[in-house]
Amino acid sequence: MDMGIVIDLTKAKAITHDARRAARSAEFAPLDVKATIPSEAVAAEAARAAIRTKYAEMQTAVDAAANVAALKTIMENLA
């Protein structure tokens, strides 16, 4: 009996969350600097809010993923 490769969904979700956090941090990096410049702070904070919303929705999708295929789609969208 060939069982093939078995993927632990909980661990796969953790890996996806790590990738999501890294992508979020990369998007925040330039805005962290702009947020300290008075003339750019308001626009930077608005952009940061949009990024927070984007990644919060992604976090919900990762948590709700029922299978590895759903996680793979999320990971592909990070690239």
Side-chain angles (χ1 to χ4, degrees), residues 3-77:
M3 293 187 54
I5 297 173
V6 177
I7 297 174
D8 183 321
L9 187 60
T10 301
K11 288 181 182 180
K13 286 182 179 184
I15 291 167
T16 305
H17 277 306
D18 289 344
R20 176 189 55 79
R21 288 183 195 103
R24 180 179 182 224
S25 292
E27 282 193 54
F28 267 133
L31 298 172
D32 290 342
V33 174
K34 289 184 177 188
T36 64
I37 302 168
S39 63
E40 297 184 31
V42 172
E45 187 50 41
R48 288 165 52 99
I51 291 169
R52 279 192 291 276
T53 298
K54 170 185 169 182
Y55 285 98
E57 291 169 356
M58 192 177 297
Q59 178 175 344
T60 300
V62 171
D63 290 339
N67 54 50
V68 174
L71 295 175
K72 183 178 178 183
T73 299
I74 293 168
M75 290 290 282
E76 288 170 350
N77 290 331

